[in-house]
Amino acid sequence: MTGADVLLLALGAVAVGAGALVVTTRHLVRAGLYLVVCLGALAGSYLVLTAELVAWVQVLIYVGAVVVLLLFAVMLTRAPIGASDDLDRPGWAAALVGGGTGLGLSVLLVDAYRWSAVELPGAGTAERLGGEIFRSWVLPFELLSVLLLAALVGAVVISRPEIGSRPVADAGPDGSADGDAR
């Protein structure tokens, strides 16, 4: 076992541990911060696998944008920041579904490859990856950016109740609006 293997296993353990903390914590903001740790460990795994471009995209897009958007949405919608009893639900059903899904995927993987060796393609380049993204995947890429922008605008609109509501006119001395006497 090489040093890269040990580092990859350690980063995988950090990512799995932080991911488990994301779904088990009762604090919404802490869940967002655990998500940063999980995604950071995943970016570190990409670095160990010498996929530097994918690692930095992981940091910039997911850690730098999606998690910040999540935390801003929590803060702008005035969601409870401390421990929330709404997030404390029985975990046995989720553990059963997660375990069953993991077992099903493991059986599917073993059945598909039957422990045979799979030949890996050659290493990719940033030029080839960029060409693929902006040729074949440009529409999903742009739709995702519009979706994130709509989520941010929606969080701002929800957080400001005075947007879209009609102002109440000041009543005059005789009770009519704007002091008009009839």
Side-chain angles (χ1 to χ4, degrees), residues 86-180:
D86 293 343
L87 299 177
D88 190 23
R89 300 211 170 114
W92 64 268
L96 185 66
V97 169
T101 303
L103 182 65
L105 287 174
S106 298
V107 167
L108 182 69
L109 184 69
V110 168
D111 184 52
Y113 292 105
R114 300 272 183 209
W115 302 105
S116 62
V118 177
E119 188 173 329
L120 297 175
T125 63
E127 179 182 359
R128 196 169 82 189
L129 180 63
E132 190 68 28
I133 287 174
F134 291 113
R135 234 179 269 120
S136 303
W137 295 94
V138 71
L139 183 62
F141 187 76
E142 290 300 322
L143 286 176
L144 180 64
S145 64
V146 169
L147 177 69
L148 290 173
L149 179 64
L152 182 62
V153 170
V156 170
V157 169
I158 289 172
S159 70
R160 301 195 54 200
E162 67 271 4
I163 293 178
S165 63
R166 294 180 49 198
V168 178
D170 293 332
D174 60 344
S176 62
D178 294 329
D180 294 336

